[in-house]
Amino acid sequence: MSTDERLLCQPQQAADEALSLSKRDFQSPQQVKWCPGCGSFAVLGQVQHALAEMGVPREKAVFVSGIGCSSRFPYYMNTYGIHGIHGRAPALAWGVKCAQPDLSVWVVTGDGDGLSIGGNHLIHCMRRNLDVNILLLNNQVYGLTKGQYSPTSPYGTRTKSSPSGTIEQPIHPVQIALAAEATFVARTVFSDTAHMARILAAAARHRGTAFIEILQNCVVFADGAFTEVTDRRQRDAHRILLEDGEPIRFGSDGRQGIVLRGLEPAVVTLGEEGAAEEDLLVHNAKTPSRTLAALLASLEPPQFPQAFGIFRQLEKPTYDGLLMQQIHSAVEKNGRGDLARLLGAGTTWYVD
């Protein structure tokens, strides 16, 4: 077989390999050392399932993390991985993606790692629209270092580092991502694996920065933090499942919804006080304006149900794609560079 024939066969060989992949192919032999009952188990399983379903070859996937319970993720994936330093996972992922644009690059971080020391890296990664997937596992506490309050801990939370209650206002991850102009912004929860699977698959297909906040429990230090949206008996009353182009409604019978009164959102019950379905807000994830997405991201219990799903999904040029275009244009114009010649150019000194 000639070289050209072998090259023509490679795409088909890759497709055959992709079709044979399963979740088990992405499970590493490492012992998973999260606490029993931790929500990270569900996230790990769904990520492995999503990659297998999409047929991503293991050698084409890279997982990058910082420090924290969630940052053990690369050890448990049978792919390439980097366990970096605190908060620097987006910067490391940036280098990987720009050096090897064909790789599927995933950043796994937590509310402490990603929004405290790593907040600046995270914001700039999103605003530049690097083609990576960012999973922010939010349990509202520093779990690895034994239960201090984190940037997302609710005001007044009592922890080892805030025995009288934290006096800081929490960061809202989805609102941060929207303000940074991330082109894909979503939220899901560890207890609804079917919903999580759909969001992960959509993020993996997206070209550009995909940011997903995943609410999860810490069974040791913050158990029950999200009971309203995880308990099957009450989650329908406290959770909006966003669908692009559909009215924003919730409740076990779907009779409650969100309307605008002036510039303020309000909860209504269809059929009561003249509320009709045509009055409800209709979700639009593909509008360039952030206004509706930001309003939905601001809805929080106990006054409002919390929104889950895709808040924003836009197609824009990616940082890595534009970078490769510039490099290609420069090479076409000036030829491929010679590092040794560059270093020896101009005035030089030799020191014995």
Side-chain angles (χ1 to χ4, degrees), residues 188-196 198 226-241 249-253 256 301 304-308:
T188 187
V189 61
F190 80 98
S191 58
D192 190 340
T193 54
H195 185 267
M196 192 196 310
R198 291 196 298 273
F226 304 109
T227 300
E228 296 95 340
V229 295
T230 58
D231 185 357
R232 292 178 181 273
R233 295 167 296 182
Q234 54 179 312
R235 68 183 185 183
D236 289 339
H238 295 93
R239 187 175 65 160
I240 297 169
L241 296 179
R249 53 201 303 172
F250 63 99
S252 58
D253 54 4
Q256 291 182 290
F304 296 99
Q306 196 167 20
F308 291 83

Side-chain angles (χ1 to χ4, degrees), residues 11-281:
Q12 183 59 49
Q13 291 169 351
D16 292 342
E17 179 187 359
L19 290 173
S20 66
L21 291 174
S22 68
K23 175 183 174 182
R24 182 172 295 181
D25 290 310
F26 290 93
Q27 295 173 339
S28 83
Q30 295 287 330
Q31 180 184 357
V32 181
K33 293 184 178 180
W34 289 316
C35 300
C38 176
S40 295
F41 284 97
V43 180
L44 176 65
Q46 290 308 311
V47 169
Q48 292 167 337
H49 178 75
L51 291 177
E53 284 289 305
M54 295 192 65
V56 178
R58 290 174 296 177
E59 67 275 10
K60 290 294 185 181
V62 181
F63 283 78
V64 186
S65 67
I67 297 297
C69 291
S70 63
S71 295
R72 294 171 175 166
F73 217 93
Y75 296 104
Y76 307 145
M77 294 295 302
N78 191 16
T79 63
Y80 288 107
I82 302 173
H83 188 183
I85 58 177
H86 205 359
R88 273 46 176 191
L92 290 168
W94 204 333
V96 171
K97 186 66 181 183
C98 291
Q100 297 289 339
D102 62 323
L103 296 179
S104 175
V105 180
W106 297 70
V107 172
V108 184
T109 185
D111 44 302
D113 180 65
L115 296 172
S116 183
I117 193 170
N120 204 38
H121 294 288
L122 189 70
I123 288 170
H124 290 296
C125 182
M126 292 188 290
R127 79 172 179 86
R128 287 164 175 158
N129 200 32
L130 185 71
D131 185 24
V132 297
N133 306 297
I134 302 171
L135 309 182
L136 189 139
L137 281 58
N138 181 10
N139 57 18
Q140 297 183 341
V141 74
Y142 280 102
L144 184 67
T145 51
K146 311 308 180 204
Q148 301 90 342
Y149 71 90
S150 82
T152 59
S153 297
Y155 177 83
T157 299
R158 294 178 182 270
T159 70
K160 293 179 179 180
S161 57
S162 57
S164 298
T166 173
I167 56 175
E168 298 180 12
Q169 295 297 329
I171 285 177
H172 303 280
V174 168
Q175 291 171 302
I176 292 290
L178 292 170
E181 292 283 0
T183 52
F184 182 103
V185 182
R187 178 190 288 140
T188 187
V189 61
F190 80 98
S191 58
D192 190 340
T193 54
H195 185 267
M196 192 196 310
R198 291 196 298 273
I199 298 300
L200 289 171
R205 289 191 297 267
H206 179 73
R207 288 281 298 163
T209 302
F211 175 88
I212 307 175
E213 179 191 18
I214 305 177
L215 303 186
Q216 66 159 93
N217 64 327
C218 174
V219 292
V220 177
F221 299 110
D223 199 19
F226 304 109
T227 300
E228 296 95 340
V229 295
T230 58
D231 185 357
R232 292 178 181 273
R233 295 167 296 182
Q234 54 179 312
R235 68 183 185 183
D236 289 339
H238 295 93
R239 187 175 65 160
I240 297 169
L241 296 179
L242 299 174
E243 295 291 344
D244 189 43
E246 296 295 325
I248 298 170
R249 53 201 303 172
F250 63 99
S252 58
D253 54 4
R255 292 187 61 238
Q256 291 182 290
I258 302 294
V259 299
L260 272 185
R261 289 178 176 164
L263 295 177
E264 296 294 326
V267 174
V268 297
T269 301
L270 298 180
E272 296 183 8
E273 299 180 355
E277 183 168 343
E278 54 266 27
D279 300 323
L280 300 180
L281 281 173

Side-chain angles (χ1 to χ4, degrees), residues 173-179 181-187 242 248 281-299 307-314:
V174 168
Q175 291 171 302
I176 292 290
L178 292 170
E181 292 283 0
T183 52
F184 182 103
V185 182
R187 178 190 288 140
L242 299 174
I248 298 170
L281 281 173
V282 175
H283 186 41
N284 183 358
K286 295 180 174 61
T287 176
S289 171
R290 302 191 310 267
T291 304
L292 176 60
L295 183 147
L296 294 172
S298 71
L299 301 180
F308 291 83
I310 300 172
F311 292 82
R312 194 175 198 228
Q313 187 173 12
L314 300 179

